[in-house]
PDB file of all heavy atoms in Angstrom:
ATOM      1  N   ASN A   1      -1.624 -40.323 -20.890  1.00 75.00           N
ATOM      2  CA  ASN A   1      -0.824 -39.770 -21.967  1.00 75.00           C
ATOM      3  C   ASN A   1      -1.649 -39.436 -23.206  1.00 75.00           C
ATOM      4  O   ASN A   1      -1.260 -38.593 -24.014  1.00 75.00           O
ATOM      5  CB  ASN A   1       0.294 -40.748 -22.364  1.00 75.00           C
ATOM      6  CG  ASN A   1       1.299 -40.923 -21.246  1.00 75.00           C
ATOM      7  OD1 ASN A   1       1.399 -40.097 -20.342  1.00 75.00           O
ATOM      8  ND2 ASN A   1       2.050 -42.013 -21.291  1.00 75.00           N
ATOM      9  N   THR A   2      -2.751 -40.119 -23.364  1.00 74.00           N
ATOM     10  CA  THR A   2      -3.618 -39.875 -24.516  1.00 74.00           C
ATOM     11  C   THR A   2      -5.046 -39.706 -24.038  1.00 74.00           C
ATOM     12  O   THR A   2      -5.366 -39.973 -22.876  1.00 74.00           O
ATOM     13  CB  THR A   2      -3.548 -41.043 -25.517  1.00 74.00           C
ATOM     14  OG1 THR A   2      -3.990 -42.246 -24.865  1.00 74.00           O
ATOM     15  CG2 THR A   2      -2.121 -41.233 -26.020  1.00 74.00           C
ATOM     16  N   TRP A   3      -5.911 -39.286 -24.914  1.00 78.00           N
ATOM     17  CA  TRP A   3      -7.312 -39.103 -24.562  1.00 78.00           C
ATOM     18  C   TRP A   3      -8.193 -39.572 -25.719  1.00 78.00           C
ATOM     19  O   TRP A   3      -7.732 -39.697 -26.857  1.00 78.00           O
ATOM     20  CB  TRP A   3      -7.616 -37.635 -24.261  1.00 78.00           C
ATOM     21  CG  TRP A   3      -7.451 -36.735 -25.467  1.00 78.00           C
ATOM     22  CD1 TRP A   3      -6.310 -36.111 -25.872  1.00 78.00           C
ATOM     23  CD2 TRP A   3      -8.463 -36.420 -26.426  1.00 78.00           C
ATOM     24  NE1 TRP A   3      -6.533 -35.409 -27.028  1.00 78.00           N
ATOM     25  CE2 TRP A   3      -7.852 -35.578 -27.394  1.00 78.00           C
ATOM     26  CE3 TRP A   3      -9.798 -36.751 -26.569  1.00 78.00           C
ATOM     27  CZ2 TRP A   3      -8.552 -35.078 -28.498  1.00 78.00           C
ATOM     28  CZ3 TRP A   3     -10.506 -36.252 -27.660  1.00 78.00           C
ATOM     29  CH2 TRP A   3      -9.879 -35.423 -28.608  1.00 78.00           C
ATOM     30  N   THR A   4      -9.447 -39.824 -25.406  1.00 83.00           N
ATOM     31  CA  THR A   4     -10.432 -40.124 -26.422  1.00 83.00           C
ATOM     32  C   THR A   4     -11.771 -39.578 -25.962  1.00 83.00           C
ATOM     33  O   THR A   4     -11.874 -39.008 -24.873  1.00 83.00           O
ATOM     34  CB  THR A   4     -10.519 -41.638 -26.681  1.00 83.00           C
ATOM     35  OG1 THR A   4     -11.378 -41.883 -27.799  1.00 83.00           O
ATOM     36  CG2 THR A   4     -11.057 -42.363 -25.449  1.00 83.00           C
ATOM     37  N   HIS A   5     -12.802 -39.715 -26.755  1.00 86.00           N
ATOM     38  CA  HIS A   5     -14.108 -39.135 -26.435  1.00 86.00           C
ATOM     39  C   HIS A   5     -14.893 -40.036 -25.489  1.00 86.00           C
ATOM     40  O   HIS A   5     -15.926 -40.621 -25.848  1.00 86.00           O
ATOM     41  CB  HIS A   5     -14.906 -38.872 -27.712  1.00 86.00           C
ATOM     42  CG  HIS A   5     -14.423 -37.681 -28.479  1.00 86.00           C
ATOM     43  ND1 HIS A   5     -13.356 -37.738 -29.343  1.00 86.00           N
ATOM     44  CD2 HIS A   5     -14.844 -36.394 -28.467  1.00 86.00           C
ATOM     45  CE1 HIS A   5     -13.154 -36.539 -29.861  1.00 86.00           C
ATOM     46  NE2 HIS A   5     -14.030 -35.707 -29.345  1.00 86.00           N
ATOM     47  N   ILE A   6     -14.399 -40.133 -24.261  1.00 88.00           N
ATOM     48  CA  ILE A   6     -15.075 -40.930 -23.242  1.00 88.00           C
ATOM     49  C   ILE A   6     -15.107 -40.155 -21.939  1.00 88.00           C
ATOM     50  O   ILE A   6     -14.458 -39.126 -21.774  1.00 88.00           O
ATOM     51  CB  ILE A   6     -14.383 -42.288 -23.015  1.00 88.00           C
ATOM     52  CG1 ILE A   6     -12.960 -42.068 -22.477  1.00 88.00           C
ATOM     53  CG2 ILE A   6     -14.374 -43.125 -24.288  1.00 88.00           C
ATOM     54  CD1 ILE A   6     -12.277 -43.349 -22.021  1.00 88.00           C
ATOM     55  N   PHE A   7     -15.873 -40.681 -20.998  1.00 91.00           N
ATOM     56  CA  PHE A   7     -15.938 -40.167 -19.631  1.00 91.00           C
ATOM     57  C   PHE A   7     -14.887 -40.902 -18.815  1.00 91.00           C
ATOM     58  O   PHE A   7     -14.761 -42.117 -18.892  1.00 91.00           O
ATOM     59  CB  PHE A   7     -17.344 -40.400 -19.070  1.00 91.00           C
ATOM     60  CG  PHE A   7     -17.563 -39.890 -17.675  1.00 91.00           C
ATOM     61  CD1 PHE A   7     -17.746 -38.541 -17.434  1.00 91.00           C
ATOM     62  CD2 PHE A   7     -17.618 -40.765 -16.601  1.00 91.00           C
ATOM     63  CE1 PHE A   7     -17.966 -38.067 -16.151  1.00 91.00           C
ATOM     64  CE2 PHE A   7     -17.846 -40.304 -15.317  1.00 91.00           C
ATOM     65  CZ  PHE A   7     -18.021 -38.946 -15.098  1.00 91.00           C
ATOM     66  N   TYR A   8     -14.101 -40.153 -18.017  1.00 92.00           N
ATOM     67  CA  TYR A   8     -13.017 -40.739 -17.236  1.00 92.00           C
ATOM     68  C   TYR A   8     -13.399 -40.781 -15.757  1.00 92.00           C
ATOM     69  O   TYR A   8     -13.126 -39.841 -15.001  1.00 92.00           O
ATOM     70  CB  TYR A   8     -11.741 -39.916 -17.415  1.00 92.00           C
ATOM     71  CG  TYR A   8     -11.124 -40.022 -18.789  1.00 92.00           C
ATOM     72  CD1 TYR A   8     -11.536 -39.189 -19.828  1.00 92.00           C
ATOM     73  CD2 TYR A   8     -10.134 -40.965 -19.054  1.00 92.00           C
ATOM     74  CE1 TYR A   8     -10.973 -39.289 -21.091  1.00 92.00           C
ATOM     75  CE2 TYR A   8      -9.556 -41.075 -20.313  1.00 92.00           C
ATOM     76  CZ  TYR A   8      -9.987 -40.228 -21.330  1.00 92.00           C
ATOM     77  OH  TYR A   8      -9.427 -40.337 -22.581  1.00 92.00           O
ATOM     78  N   PRO A   9     -14.010 -41.906 -15.304  1.00 93.00           N
ATOM     79  CA  PRO A   9     -14.489 -41.954 -13.910  1.00 93.00           C
ATOM     80  C   PRO A   9     -13.437 -42.378 -12.891  1.00 93.00           C
ATOM     81  O   PRO A   9     -13.683 -42.294 -11.689  1.00 93.00           O
ATOM     82  CB  PRO A   9     -15.593 -43.010 -13.981  1.00 93.00           C
ATOM     83  CG  PRO A   9     -15.125 -43.945 -15.060  1.00 93.00           C
ATOM     84  CD  PRO A   9     -14.409 -43.094 -16.064  1.00 93.00           C
ATOM     85  N   SER A  10     -12.269 -42.822 -13.335  1.00 91.00           N
ATOM     86  CA  SER A  10     -11.300 -43.406 -12.400  1.00 91.00           C
ATOM     87  C   SER A  10     -10.383 -42.385 -11.745  1.00 91.00           C
ATOM     88  O   SER A  10      -9.728 -42.702 -10.743  1.00 91.00           O
ATOM     89  CB  SER A  10     -10.451 -44.458 -13.128  1.00 91.00           C
ATOM     90  OG  SER A  10      -9.712 -43.863 -14.189  1.00 91.00           O
ATOM     91  N   ASP A  11     -10.302 -41.166 -12.282  1.00 93.00           N
ATOM     92  CA  ASP A  11      -9.383 -40.171 -11.721  1.00 93.00           C
ATOM     93  C   ASP A  11     -10.119 -38.854 -11.488  1.00 93.00           C
ATOM     94  O   ASP A  11     -10.237 -38.028 -12.392  1.00 93.00           O
ATOM     95  CB  ASP A  11      -8.205 -39.942 -12.662  1.00 93.00           C
ATOM     96  CG  ASP A  11      -7.169 -38.990 -12.080  1.00 93.00           C
ATOM     97  OD1 ASP A  11      -7.270 -38.657 -10.883  1.00 93.00           O
ATOM     98  OD2 ASP A  11      -6.266 -38.560 -12.830  1.00 93.00           O
ATOM     99  N   PRO A  12     -10.616 -38.622 -10.279  1.00 96.00           N
ATOM    100  CA  PRO A  12     -11.316 -37.366  -9.984  1.00 96.00           C
ATOM    101  C   PRO A  12     -10.390 -36.163 -10.173  1.00 96.00           C
ATOM    102  O   PRO A  12      -9.182 -36.243  -9.933  1.00 96.00           O
ATOM    103  CB  PRO A  12     -11.719 -37.520  -8.509  1.00 96.00           C
ATOM    104  CG  PRO A  12     -11.670 -38.983  -8.249  1.00 96.00           C
ATOM    105  CD  PRO A  12     -10.587 -39.523  -9.119  1.00 96.00           C
ATOM    106  N   LEU A  13     -10.970 -35.063 -10.578  1.00 96.00           N
ATOM    107  CA  LEU A  13     -10.217 -33.829 -10.784  1.00 96.00           C
ATOM    108  C   LEU A  13     -10.150 -33.003  -9.500  1.00 96.00           C
ATOM    109  O   LEU A  13     -11.050 -33.054  -8.670  1.00 96.00           O
ATOM    110  CB  LEU A  13     -10.873 -32.995 -11.877  1.00 96.00           C
ATOM    111  CG  LEU A  13     -11.019 -33.637 -13.258  1.00 96.00           C
ATOM    112  CD1 LEU A  13     -11.818 -32.716 -14.183  1.00 96.00           C
ATOM    113  CD2 LEU A  13      -9.663 -33.954 -13.862  1.00 96.00           C
ATOM    114  N   TRP A  14      -9.069 -32.236  -9.370  1.00 96.00           N
ATOM    115  CA  TRP A  14      -8.895 -31.202  -8.346  1.00 96.00           C
ATOM    116  C   TRP A  14      -8.788 -31.746  -6.925  1.00 96.00           C
ATOM    117  O   TRP A  14      -9.090 -31.056  -5.970  1.00 96.00           O
ATOM    118  CB  TRP A  14     -10.001 -30.152  -8.440  1.00 96.00           C
ATOM    119  CG  TRP A  14     -10.273 -29.770  -9.856  1.00 96.00           C
ATOM    120  CD1 TRP A  14      -9.356 -29.371 -10.790  1.00 96.00           C
ATOM    121  CD2 TRP A  14     -11.532 -29.786 -10.527  1.00 96.00           C
ATOM    122  NE1 TRP A  14      -9.964 -29.131 -12.001  1.00 96.00           N
ATOM    123  CE2 TRP A  14     -11.312 -29.372 -11.870  1.00 96.00           C
ATOM    124  CE3 TRP A  14     -12.829 -30.075 -10.122  1.00 96.00           C
ATOM    125  CZ2 TRP A  14     -12.340 -29.266 -12.801  1.00 96.00           C
ATOM    126  CZ3 TRP A  14     -13.856 -29.977 -11.033  1.00 96.00           C
ATOM    127  CH2 TRP A  14     -13.606 -29.577 -12.363  1.00 96.00           C
ATOM    128  N   ASP A  15      -8.347 -33.013  -6.834  1.00 94.00           N
ATOM    129  CA  ASP A  15      -8.130 -33.585  -5.501  1.00 94.00           C
ATOM    130  C   ASP A  15      -6.645 -33.716  -5.173  1.00 94.00           C
ATOM    131  O   ASP A  15      -6.278 -34.173  -4.088  1.00 94.00           O
ATOM    132  CB  ASP A  15      -8.805 -34.952  -5.380  1.00 94.00           C
ATOM    133  CG  ASP A  15      -8.256 -35.984  -6.377  1.00 94.00           C
ATOM    134  OD1 ASP A  15      -7.450 -35.603  -7.251  1.00 94.00           O
ATOM    135  OD2 ASP A  15      -8.653 -37.168  -6.279  1.00 94.00           O
ATOM    136  N   GLY A  16      -5.766 -33.325  -6.112  1.00 91.00           N
ATOM    137  CA  GLY A  16      -4.340 -33.420  -5.875  1.00 91.00           C
ATOM    138  C   GLY A  16      -3.798 -34.829  -5.906  1.00 91.00           C
ATOM    139  O   GLY A  16      -2.673 -35.076  -5.478  1.00 91.00           O
ATOM    140  N   GLN A  17      -4.597 -35.776  -6.436  1.00 90.00           N
ATOM    141  CA  GLN A  17      -4.205 -37.184  -6.471  1.00 90.00           C
ATOM    142  C   GLN A  17      -4.217 -37.689  -7.921  1.00 90.00           C
ATOM    143  O   GLN A  17      -4.944 -37.186  -8.765  1.00 90.00           O
ATOM    144  CB  GLN A  17      -5.167 -38.028  -5.630  1.00 90.00           C
ATOM    145  CG  GLN A  17      -5.314 -37.574  -4.191  1.00 90.00           C
ATOM    146  CD  GLN A  17      -4.038 -37.727  -3.411  1.00 90.00           C
ATOM    147  OE1 GLN A  17      -3.319 -38.722  -3.542  1.00 90.00           O
ATOM    148  NE2 GLN A  17      -3.717 -36.748  -2.577  1.00 90.00           N
ATOM    149  N   GLY A  18      -3.417 -38.709  -8.164  1.00 86.00           N
ATOM    150  CA  GLY A  18      -3.436 -39.371  -9.458  1.00 86.00           C
ATOM    151  C   GLY A  18      -2.959 -38.513 -10.610  1.00 86.00           C
ATOM    152  O   GLY A  18      -3.388 -38.717 -11.752  1.00 86.00           O
ATOM    153  N   CYS A  19      -2.074 -37.566 -10.339  1.00 86.00           N
ATOM    154  CA  CYS A  19      -1.609 -36.683 -11.408  1.00 86.00           C
ATOM    155  C   CYS A  19      -0.618 -37.403 -12.313  1.00 86.00           C
ATOM    156  O   CYS A  19       0.134 -38.279 -11.880  1.00 86.00           O
ATOM    157  CB  CYS A  19      -0.949 -35.447 -10.812  1.00 86.00           C
ATOM    158  SG  CYS A  19      -2.137 -34.289 -10.111  1.00 86.00           S
ATOM    159  N   GLY A  20      -0.619 -37.006 -13.595  1.00 81.00           N
ATOM    160  CA  GLY A  20       0.285 -37.590 -14.560  1.00 81.00           C
ATOM    161  C   GLY A  20       1.706 -37.090 -14.405  1.00 81.00           C
ATOM    162  O   GLY A  20       2.010 -36.253 -13.541  1.00 81.00           O
ATOM    163  N   SER A  21       2.565 -37.574 -15.274  1.00 83.00           N
ATOM    164  CA  SER A  21       3.998 -37.312 -15.149  1.00 83.00           C
ATOM    165  C   SER A  21       4.364 -35.845 -15.291  1.00 83.00           C
ATOM    166  O   SER A  21       5.395 -35.407 -14.777  1.00 83.00           O
ATOM    167  CB  SER A  21       4.758 -38.128 -16.196  1.00 83.00           C
ATOM    168  OG  SER A  21       4.304 -37.809 -17.521  1.00 83.00           O
ATOM    169  N   ILE A  22       3.548 -35.063 -15.984  1.00 85.00           N
ATOM    170  CA  ILE A  22       3.885 -33.649 -16.169  1.00 85.00           C
ATOM    171  C   ILE A  22       3.067 -32.730 -15.258  1.00 85.00           C
ATOM    172  O   ILE A  22       3.149 -31.514 -15.365  1.00 85.00           O
ATOM    173  CB  ILE A  22       3.677 -33.218 -17.641  1.00 85.00           C
ATOM    174  CG1 ILE A  22       2.192 -33.326 -18.024  1.00 85.00           C
ATOM    175  CG2 ILE A  22       4.550 -34.025 -18.575  1.00 85.00           C
ATOM    176  CD1 ILE A  22       1.873 -32.748 -19.395  1.00 85.00           C
ATOM    177  N   GLU A  23       2.268 -33.337 -14.341  1.00 89.00           N
ATOM    178  CA  GLU A  23       1.361 -32.541 -13.506  1.00 89.00           C
ATOM    179  C   GLU A  23       1.796 -32.438 -12.054  1.00 89.00           C
ATOM    180  O   GLU A  23       0.995 -32.053 -11.202  1.00 89.00           O
ATOM    181  CB  GLU A  23      -0.052 -33.127 -13.563  1.00 89.00           C
ATOM    182  CG  GLU A  23      -0.746 -32.960 -14.894  1.00 89.00           C
ATOM    183  CD  GLU A  23      -2.187 -33.429 -14.837  1.00 89.00           C
ATOM    184  OE1 GLU A  23      -2.436 -34.539 -14.319  1.00 89.00           O
ATOM    185  OE2 GLU A  23      -3.065 -32.682 -15.305  1.00 89.00           O
ATOM    186  N   THR A  24       3.027 -32.745 -11.755  1.00 90.00           N
ATOM    187  CA  THR A  24       3.493 -32.728 -10.366  1.00 90.00           C
ATOM    188  C   THR A  24       3.224 -31.385  -9.701  1.00 90.00           C
ATOM    189  O   THR A  24       2.729 -31.315  -8.565  1.00 90.00           O
ATOM    190  CB  THR A  24       4.992 -33.046 -10.295  1.00 90.00           C
ATOM    191  OG1 THR A  24       5.220 -34.343 -10.856  1.00 90.00           O
ATOM    192  CG2 THR A  24       5.475 -33.029  -8.854  1.00 90.00           C
ATOM    193  N   ALA A  25       3.535 -30.313 -10.408  1.00 91.00           N
ATOM    194  CA  ALA A  25       3.331 -28.983  -9.830  1.00 91.00           C
ATOM    195  C   ALA A  25       1.855 -28.688  -9.601  1.00 91.00           C
ATOM    196  O   ALA A  25       1.490 -27.964  -8.664  1.00 91.00           O
ATOM    197  CB  ALA A  25       3.935 -27.926 -10.750  1.00 91.00           C
ATOM    198  N   CYS A  26       0.994 -29.255 -10.429  1.00 92.00           N
ATOM    199  CA  CYS A  26      -0.452 -29.032 -10.288  1.00 92.00           C
ATOM    200  C   CYS A  26      -1.001 -29.697  -9.034  1.00 92.00           C
ATOM    201  O   CYS A  26      -1.951 -29.193  -8.421  1.00 92.00           O
ATOM    202  CB  CYS A  26      -1.190 -29.575 -11.512  1.00 92.00           C
ATOM    203  SG  CYS A  26      -0.709 -28.841 -13.093  1.00 92.00           S
ATOM    204  N   CYS A  27      -0.417 -30.825  -8.656  1.00 91.00           N
ATOM    205  CA  CYS A  27      -0.928 -31.592  -7.518  1.00 91.00           C
ATOM    206  C   CYS A  27      -0.266 -31.226  -6.200  1.00 91.00           C
ATOM    207  O   CYS A  27      -0.738 -31.643  -5.144  1.00 91.00           O
ATOM    208  CB  CYS A  27      -0.747 -33.080  -7.775  1.00 91.00           C
ATOM    209  SG  CYS A  27      -1.943 -33.751  -8.953  1.00 91.00           S
ATOM    210  N   ASN A  28       0.815 -30.460  -6.258  1.00 92.00           N
ATOM    211  CA  ASN A  28       1.532 -30.087  -5.034  1.00 92.00           C
ATOM    212  C   ASN A  28       1.230 -28.663  -4.602  1.00 92.00           C
ATOM    213  O   ASN A  28       2.034 -28.040  -3.909  1.00 92.00           O
ATOM    214  CB  ASN A  28       3.041 -30.263  -5.245  1.00 92.00           C
ATOM    215  CG  ASN A  28       3.440 -31.726  -5.329  1.00 92.00           C
ATOM    216  OD1 ASN A  28       2.710 -32.600  -4.884  1.00 92.00           O
ATOM    217  ND2 ASN A  28       4.588 -31.991  -5.915  1.00 92.00           N
ATOM    218  N   VAL A  29       0.069 -28.166  -4.982  1.00 92.00           N
ATOM    219  CA  VAL A  29      -0.313 -26.806  -4.616  1.00 92.00           C
ATOM    220  C   VAL A  29      -0.782 -26.793  -3.156  1.00 92.00           C
ATOM    221  O   VAL A  29      -1.591 -27.636  -2.753  1.00 92.00           O
ATOM    222  CB  VAL A  29      -1.444 -26.294  -5.528  1.00 92.00           C
ATOM    223  CG1 VAL A  29      -1.824 -24.866  -5.166  1.00 92.00           C
ATOM    224  CG2 VAL A  29      -1.022 -26.370  -6.983  1.00 92.00           C
ATOM    225  N   PRO A  30      -0.298 -25.862  -2.329  1.00 92.00           N
ATOM    226  CA  PRO A  30      -0.753 -25.789  -0.932  1.00 92.00           C
ATOM    227  C   PRO A  30      -2.269 -25.636  -0.839  1.00 92.00           C
ATOM    228  O   PRO A  30      -2.877 -24.870  -1.589  1.00 92.00           O
ATOM    229  CB  PRO A  30      -0.041 -24.536  -0.400  1.00 92.00           C
ATOM    230  CG  PRO A  30       1.158 -24.378  -1.278  1.00 92.00           C
ATOM    231  CD  PRO A  30       0.733 -24.848  -2.636  1.00 92.00           C
ATOM    232  N   GLY A  31      -2.864 -26.401   0.079  1.00 95.00           N
ATOM    233  CA  GLY A  31      -4.299 -26.283   0.322  1.00 95.00           C
ATOM    234  C   GLY A  31      -5.159 -27.244  -0.446  1.00 95.00           C
ATOM    235  O   GLY A  31      -6.291 -27.532  -0.027  1.00 95.00           O
ATOM    236  N   ILE A  32      -4.704 -27.722  -1.610  1.00 96.00           N
ATOM    237  CA  ILE A  32      -5.538 -28.597  -2.430  1.00 96.00           C
ATOM    238  C   ILE A  32      -5.965 -29.825  -1.629  1.00 96.00           C
ATOM    239  O   ILE A  32      -5.154 -30.363  -0.872  1.00 96.00           O
ATOM    240  CB  ILE A  32      -4.769 -28.991  -3.717  1.00 96.00           C
ATOM    241  CG1 ILE A  32      -5.731 -29.549  -4.774  1.00 96.00           C
ATOM    242  CG2 ILE A  32      -3.646 -29.972  -3.443  1.00 96.00           C
ATOM    243  CD1 ILE A  32      -5.084 -29.694  -6.162  1.00 96.00           C
ATOM    244  N   PRO A  33      -7.209 -30.268  -1.643  1.00 97.00           N
ATOM    245  CA  PRO A  33      -8.287 -29.912  -2.579  1.00 97.00           C
ATOM    246  C   PRO A  33      -9.126 -28.695  -2.168  1.00 97.00           C
ATOM    247  O   PRO A  33     -10.063 -28.346  -2.868  1.00 97.00           O
ATOM    248  CB  PRO A  33      -9.156 -31.160  -2.570  1.00 97.00           C
ATOM    249  CG  PRO A  33      -9.053 -31.666  -1.172  1.00 97.00           C
ATOM    250  CD  PRO A  33      -7.609 -31.414  -0.786  1.00 97.00           C
ATOM    251  N   TRP A  34      -8.809 -28.086  -1.019  1.00 98.00           N
ATOM    252  CA  TRP A  34      -9.593 -26.934  -0.559  1.00 98.00           C
ATOM    253  C   TRP A  34      -9.074 -25.653  -1.200  1.00 98.00           C
ATOM    254  O   TRP A  34      -7.871 -25.419  -1.262  1.00 98.00           O
ATOM    255  CB  TRP A  34      -9.511 -26.813   0.959  1.00 98.00           C
ATOM    256  CG  TRP A  34     -10.199 -27.933   1.683  1.00 98.00           C
ATOM    257  CD1 TRP A  34      -9.631 -29.098   2.107  1.00 98.00           C
ATOM    258  CD2 TRP A  34     -11.564 -27.989   2.067  1.00 98.00           C
ATOM    259  NE1 TRP A  34     -10.573 -29.886   2.735  1.00 98.00           N
ATOM    260  CE2 TRP A  34     -11.771 -29.229   2.720  1.00 98.00           C
ATOM    261  CE3 TRP A  34     -12.649 -27.116   1.925  1.00 98.00           C
ATOM    262  CZ2 TRP A  34     -13.003 -29.618   3.230  1.00 98.00           C
ATOM    263  CZ3 TRP A  34     -13.877 -27.504   2.443  1.00 98.00           C
ATOM    264  CH2 TRP A  34     -14.047 -28.737   3.075  1.00 98.00           C
ATOM    265  N   PHE A  35      -9.988 -24.828  -1.672  1.00 98.00           N
ATOM    266  CA  PHE A  35      -9.613 -23.489  -2.117  1.00 98.00           C
ATOM    267  C   PHE A  35     -10.056 -22.481  -1.068  1.00 98.00           C
ATOM    268  O   PHE A  35     -11.010 -22.716  -0.324  1.00 98.00           O
ATOM    269  CB  PHE A  35     -10.228 -23.152  -3.486  1.00 98.00           C
ATOM    270  CG  PHE A  35     -11.734 -23.136  -3.521  1.00 98.00           C
ATOM    271  CD1 PHE A  35     -12.443 -21.996  -3.146  1.00 98.00           C
ATOM    272  CD2 PHE A  35     -12.449 -24.246  -3.952  1.00 98.00           C
ATOM    273  CE1 PHE A  35     -13.836 -21.975  -3.179  1.00 98.00           C
ATOM    274  CE2 PHE A  35     -13.844 -24.227  -3.994  1.00 98.00           C
ATOM    275  CZ  PHE A  35     -14.529 -23.085  -3.610  1.00 98.00           C
ATOM    276  N   HIS A  36      -9.371 -21.339  -1.018  1.00 98.00           N
ATOM    277  CA  HIS A  36      -9.618 -20.370   0.041  1.00 98.00           C
ATOM    278  C   HIS A  36      -9.399 -18.966  -0.482  1.00 98.00           C
ATOM    279  O   HIS A  36      -8.367 -18.668  -1.078  1.00 98.00           O
ATOM    280  CB  HIS A  36      -8.683 -20.638   1.219  1.00 98.00           C
ATOM    281  CG  HIS A  36      -8.885 -19.740   2.388  1.00 98.00           C
ATOM    282  ND1 HIS A  36      -7.831 -19.283   3.182  1.00 98.00           N
ATOM    283  CD2 HIS A  36     -10.013 -19.198   2.931  1.00 98.00           C
ATOM    284  CE1 HIS A  36      -8.309 -18.529   4.152  1.00 98.00           C
ATOM    285  NE2 HIS A  36      -9.634 -18.451   4.019  1.00 98.00           N
ATOM    286  N   ARG A  37     -10.382 -18.094  -0.273  1.00 98.00           N
ATOM    287  CA  ARG A  37     -10.226 -16.670  -0.551  1.00 98.00           C
ATOM    288  C   ARG A  37     -10.511 -15.895   0.723  1.00 98.00           C
ATOM    289  O   ARG A  37     -11.550 -16.087   1.362  1.00 98.00           O
ATOM    290  CB  ARG A  37     -11.193 -16.209  -1.648  1.00 98.00           C
ATOM    291  CG  ARG A  37     -10.879 -16.742  -3.040  1.00 98.00           C
ATOM    292  CD  ARG A  37      -9.516 -16.314  -3.561  1.00 98.00           C
ATOM    293  NE  ARG A  37      -9.331 -14.867  -3.566  1.00 98.00           N
ATOM    294  CZ  ARG A  37      -9.686 -14.077  -4.577  1.00 98.00           C
ATOM    295  NH1 ARG A  37     -10.268 -14.572  -5.656  1.00 98.00           N
ATOM    296  NH2 ARG A  37      -9.451 -12.775  -4.518  1.00 98.00           N
ATOM    297  N   ASP A  38      -9.576 -15.034   1.095  1.00 97.00           N
ATOM    298  CA  ASP A  38      -9.711 -14.213   2.288  1.00 97.00           C
ATOM    299  C   ASP A  38      -9.689 -12.750   1.851  1.00 97.00           C
ATOM    300  O   ASP A  38      -8.687 -12.276   1.313  1.00 97.00           O
ATOM    301  CB  ASP A  38      -8.564 -14.501   3.256  1.00 97.00           C
ATOM    302  CG  ASP A  38      -8.748 -13.808   4.608  1.00 97.00           C
ATOM    303  OD1 ASP A  38      -9.559 -12.864   4.693  1.00 97.00           O
ATOM    304  OD2 ASP A  38      -8.063 -14.209   5.569  1.00 97.00           O
TER     305      ASP A  38
END
């Protein structure tokens, strides 16, 4: 809910896991964590 000037090692980005209360749509994207361009 808040942030400060630190490194956040406990929650990796772009893996679709550990999303906050307002990020449900961000973590439920089809294909995540893999991206694909055809």
Side-chain angles (χ1 to χ4, degrees):
N1 294 340
T2 61
W3 65 272
T4 187
H5 285 82
I6 63 171
F7 181 77
Y8 290 86
S10 62
D11 184 10
L13 301 174
W14 317 308
D15 61 353
Q17 305 295 319
C19 286
S21 58
I22 64 172
E23 290 186 312
T24 300
C26 301
C27 284
N28 289 340
V29 181
I32 197 168
W34 292 92
F35 62 85
H36 182 216
R37 291 299 304 272
D38 188 343

